[in-house]
Amino acid sequence: MVVPYPLILLVGVVALMFAGGAPITFGGLPPSIVFGALQDGQVRKALFSADSASLQQRLKEMEVDKQVDDYYSDRINDSRDRELYTDQIFYNYTGYHNEELEETNSGNLIWNDK
């Protein structure tokens, strides 16, 4: 049996990540939070139908944003920086951002300090 080169590469990268102690995330979201959210039927339905408003609403109801904030609390000490970072992650997936933030031309969020 011949194992495809990309599979070997993928297994190697994952092994190095575990061996190196680097935190593993999916687009900035820890696997435990991703898999926990995907167990919810409403999340799956919104995700697979590309309904970003419903997805964002359901994730808020499930307080996933607080789980992500807790995950990064020991990595990003400043609460304002941490909020911006976590909001960027959710914006990347849902297209939603709160009114205190605005999108730059490059798609990054910044604080709207007006």
Side-chain angles (χ1 to χ4, degrees), residues 27-96:
L29 297 172
S32 60
I33 295 174
V34 171
F35 295 133
L38 287 175
Q39 291 188 22
D40 183 84
Q42 292 177 21
V43 167
R44 286 192 311 272
K45 181 179 177 184
L47 186 63
F48 296 125
S49 66
D51 184 352
S52 61
S54 294
L55 176 60
Q56 187 277 331
Q57 178 61 36
R58 184 62 184 146
L59 293 174
K60 284 280 189 193
E61 290 169 0
M62 295 172 64
E63 298 185 336
V64 172
D65 54 338
K66 291 180 183 177
Q67 294 172 34
V68 174
D69 186 69
D70 289 345
Y71 176 80
Y72 283 107
S73 65
D74 65 338
R75 294 167 179 81
I76 304 173
N77 294 328
D78 183 271
S79 62
R80 188 169 155 102
D81 289 344
R82 189 170 56 248
E83 183 178 351
L84 180 62
Y85 184 78
T86 58
D87 282 0
Q88 181 71 53
I89 292 170
F90 284 102
Y91 176 72
N92 293 344
Y93 287 106
T94 67
Y96 169 84

Side-chain angles (χ1 to χ4, degrees), residues 12-25:
V13 168
V14 170
L16 285 174
M17 290 174 74
F18 277 110
I24 298 173
T25 64

